[in-house]
Amino acid sequence: MRRKMYDKLLQWKERSDGKSALLIQGARRVGKSYIVEEFAKSEYESYILIDFNKADQQVKDIFLHDLDNMNSFFLKLATLYGIRLHERKSLIVLDEVQLFPRARSAIKYLVADGRYDYIETGSLISIRENVKDILIPSEEDHINMYPMDFEEFLWAVGNEMMMDFIRDCYENKRSLGQALHRKAMDLFRQYLIVGGMPQAVWTYVETGDFEAVDIAKRRILNLYRDDIRKHAKGYEMKVEMIYDELPSQLKNQNRHFKLSSLKEGARFDEYKDAMFWLSDAMIVNHCYNATEPSLGLSLNRDRTLLKCYMGDTGLLISQVFDENELVSEKIYKKLLLDKLEVNMGMVVENAVAQMFAANGRRLYFYSNSNRNDASSRMEIDFLLAKSKISNRHNISPIEVKSSKNYTLSSLKKFREKYREQLHIPYVVHSNDYKEEDGIVYLPLYMVPLL
């Protein structure tokens, strides 16, 4: 399946010209190994893929004993894999490199040798866990890989034109029109419930069977649970408690993660390592409260008040509607037709967080629960800094609305209080594009363009 990561790999190859390796980090099952092998097949005369899930001791011994003689190192490697290497025209892939940290530390010497290109893939949790006794190479570029975004999903289902049209409408500030808006929202709902995990998307494309899609997603959820038990050493029970609690926490009206639901009197310091583990694993996307909508949102970050969104909304759907360990075809079809009698706010907001994260955006929201001053009491779902910073008017407040009938009391109060600091305010909703009273009303499928 076509992924935007491919273009990023091309850019790295041209920019690096053999002077650095590339480490691709991402959650399990987001398609890291697949896209790297497709890239290797198309862009190099030959490649060797060393999968450290399968590599035997002979392969590992080369990294342990032959780095002081590069001629011997490459000759042994090429012979073991039966692949001829061509100087500056071959790629060596270190897949699941976290399973053999000495291979990662060898990058320093392999890049300095300069004969070939190198790409590493791995899960960030295990990468960070397995660095105690190795030299972390400075000759290493990093890039994060996320689940498939909406445009990649459209490509997978055979629609090459829709996102181009959406982009044109966004750039020219005009609506799609009733018929095309309806079609775009139908496609977006498919993406919402299938999600962006390649296995789930592929199953949907091949079968159109939502129960088969749900089984594929449930395998991934179980894999994450196994990873928690295996890698979250010392606080695996806390991580698993948070993981299990995510759907019910997102059902809360303001989506704040309440530690008291885990244990009465629980404090943030007690659970922060478990929280950060899930974020490092890229299983969740953390969204922090910014106490002031000013330049440098991270400077005003309250680390103790946060929201935890699932990294993939399709996986969240399988968690939320898990009544009988399988979400039925009937429920999926009601979701697809927007006929399910349930508050979809958490699902839609999770999808917006996922789209922002995939674009490299750090997630912030604004919350003020002042009990004594009603004019100060407000909640804004997301805050985004504009790309070109000026002396003022830098922050866009974003409200996400899942229903067709809604109020904007918090947004109006927020605009009044911080008018000198705010850029364009947005309301993300299921209706078509429009502008009214200085607010841009943005359909969900346009969020990736912000």
Side-chain angles (χ1 to χ4, degrees):
M1 290 183 287
R2 183 178 168 194
R3 300 296 301 270
K4 293 177 181 177
M5 178 59 69
Y6 195 99
D7 292 333
K8 295 178 181 179
L9 295 177
L10 281 174
Q11 292 167 9
W12 162 78
K13 184 175 186 284
E14 183 177 350
R15 182 185 67 249
S16 169
D17 193 27
K19 295 179 176 62
S20 66
L22 182 66
L23 173 62
I24 303 175
Q25 302 165 156
R28 298 284 296 277
R29 296 294 189 264
V30 294
K32 301 183 296 293
S33 302
Y34 171 83
I35 197 64
V36 170
E37 188 159 16
E38 290 299 302
F39 179 71
K41 289 176 183 176
S42 299
E43 305 299 331
Y44 292 87
E45 286 190 14
S46 67
Y47 71 95
I48 292 176
L49 191 152
I50 306 171
D51 181 351
F52 285 108
N53 262 318
K54 303 174 182 176
D56 60 21
Q57 193 59 45
Q58 279 185 297
V59 174
K60 295 177 181 179
D61 283 344
I62 298 173
F63 286 90
L64 293 172
H65 306 303
D66 290 289
L67 285 173
D68 57 344
N69 185 336
M70 285 298 174
N71 289 332
S72 175
F73 177 94
F74 293 121
L75 184 59
K76 287 183 178 181
L77 199 62
T79 302
L80 276 175
Y81 282 89
I83 294 171
R84 185 179 296 278
L85 294 169
H86 307 276
E87 192 164 332
R88 301 303 317 128
K89 294 179 180 179
S90 292
L91 173 71
I92 296 176
V93 180
L94 308 180
D95 197 26
E96 301 293 354
V97 71
Q98 78 278 3
L99 299 177
F100 188 58
R102 288 295 295 272
R104 188 182 175 203
S105 66
I107 286 294
K108 176 181 180 65
Y109 309 103
L110 298 174
V111 169
D113 175 78
R115 277 179 250 191
Y116 312 112
D117 286 352
Y118 303 91
I119 295 180
E120 308 157 85
T121 74
S123 169
L124 187 58
I125 46 168
S126 301
I127 287 173
R128 290 192 174 177
E129 178 186 328
N130 294 316
V131 294
K132 294 178 183 177
D133 302 316
I134 70 165
L135 175 68
I136 298 176
S138 58
E139 302 78 6
E140 193 179 67
D141 297 329
H142 292 206
I143 191 167
N144 289 336
M145 188 169 180
Y146 297 93
M148 297 171 72
D149 66 17
F150 180 47
E151 187 170 16
E152 290 171 325
F153 177 81
L154 290 176
W155 295 338
V157 297
N159 192 317
E160 296 282 336
M161 301 301 297
M162 178 59 79
M163 200 64 196
D164 288 339
F165 180 65
I166 291 171
R167 190 175 288 109
D168 181 71
C169 290
Y170 173 80
E171 291 171 354
N172 291 285
K173 301 180 179 179
R174 58 184 173 84
S175 62
L176 273 69
Q178 186 176 6
L180 285 167
H181 168 70
R182 188 184 301 115
K183 182 174 183 180
M185 279 305 301
D186 286 346
L187 288 164
F188 187 81
R189 285 192 192 94
Q190 291 177 42
Y191 172 63
L192 199 70
I193 62 180
V194 172
M197 302 306 283
Q199 284 176 310
V201 175
W202 180 253
T203 302
Y204 181 62
V205 171
E206 287 291 290
T207 69
D209 181 340
F210 285 118
E211 289 191 3
V213 170
D214 198 69
I215 290 170
K217 290 191 291 180
R218 203 159 299 284
R219 288 194 198 103
I220 298 169
L221 289 168
N222 290 334
L223 178 67
Y224 287 171
R225 190 178 301 281
D226 290 342
D227 279 348
I228 290 169
R229 293 166 181 164
K230 183 176 180 180
H231 296 294
K233 295 174 181 174
Y235 40 87
E236 57 269 30
M237 289 184 63
K238 291 178 181 176
V239 176
E240 194 165 355
M241 287 169 65
I242 296 169
Y243 179 74
D244 289 338
E245 188 69 16
L246 286 174
S248 60
Q249 291 287 334
L250 287 172
K251 287 180 185 176
N252 295 334
Q253 186 176 0
N254 56 22
R255 326 284 184 223
H256 301 172
F257 197 97
K258 294 180 172 60
L259 291 172
S260 58
S261 66
L262 303 176
K263 188 181 78 172
E264 186 176 349
R267 298 174 61 85
F268 180 75
D269 283 349
E270 186 181 355
Y271 285 88
K272 65 181 182 181
D273 287 341
M275 287 280 194
F276 296 149
W277 188 96
L278 283 167
S279 179
D280 281 348
M282 297 174 77
I283 294 172
V284 305
N285 294 315
H286 283 166
C287 183
Y288 292 97
N289 182 39
T291 57
E292 187 83 13
S294 57
L295 189 60
L297 290 169
S298 61
L299 299 176
N300 301 304
R301 180 174 67 174
D302 178 2
R303 291 172 65 89
T304 64
L305 184 59
L306 75 164
K307 304 177 188 180
C308 287
Y309 297 107
M310 277 291 288
D312 180 73
T313 307
L315 296 181
L316 176 65
I317 292 280
S318 290
Q319 279 191 308
V320 167
F321 300 103
D322 183 10
E323 301 296 334
N324 300 302
E325 297 187 349
L326 186 70
V327 180
S328 71
E329 184 91 2
K330 185 177 179 181
I331 289 177
Y332 271 114
K333 287 183 176 176
K334 283 190 174 184
L335 285 167
L336 190 61
L337 297 171
D338 200 20
K339 299 290 186 183
L340 195 65
E341 294 177 1
V342 66
N343 184 355
M344 289 292 288
M346 64 170 173
V347 174
V348 172
E349 195 173 311
N350 196 94
V352 172
Q354 178 181 343
M355 290 186 280
F356 284 150
N359 280 348
R361 297 277 198 171
R362 292 185 178 179
L363 303 180
Y364 297 97
F365 68 100
Y366 178 87
S367 180
N368 188 327
S369 56
N370 193 319
R371 296 181 179 179
N372 301 317
D373 181 7
S375 65
S376 297
R377 192 162 56 243
M378 63 192 94
E379 179 95 16
I380 302 296
D381 295 326
F382 296 100
L383 301 177
L384 284 191
K386 68 180 185 182
S387 55
K388 293 184 180 179
I389 303 301
S390 57
N391 291 331
R392 57 187 200 171
H393 305 304
N394 289 302
I395 306 298
S396 284
I398 297 173
E399 285 277 75
V400 179
K401 303 297 181 182
S402 60
S403 64
K404 293 183 179 179
N405 300 313
Y406 52 80
T407 61
L408 298 174
S409 55
S410 281
L411 184 59
K412 290 174 181 176
K413 288 193 286 186
F414 194 75
R415 289 180 75 191
E416 180 63 26
K417 182 172 183 178
Y418 296 110
R419 66 168 66 93
E420 294 300 315
Q421 291 149 275
L422 299 187
H423 189 41
I424 301 168
Y426 293 94
V427 173
V428 174
H429 63 174
S430 59
N431 296 323
D432 209 341
Y433 182 99
K434 70 174 183 177
E435 295 183 28
E436 190 173 278
D437 298 329
I439 298 173
V440 173
Y441 292 78
L442 206 68
L444 282 156
Y445 49 74
M446 284 188 180
V447 168
L449 304 175
L450 282 173

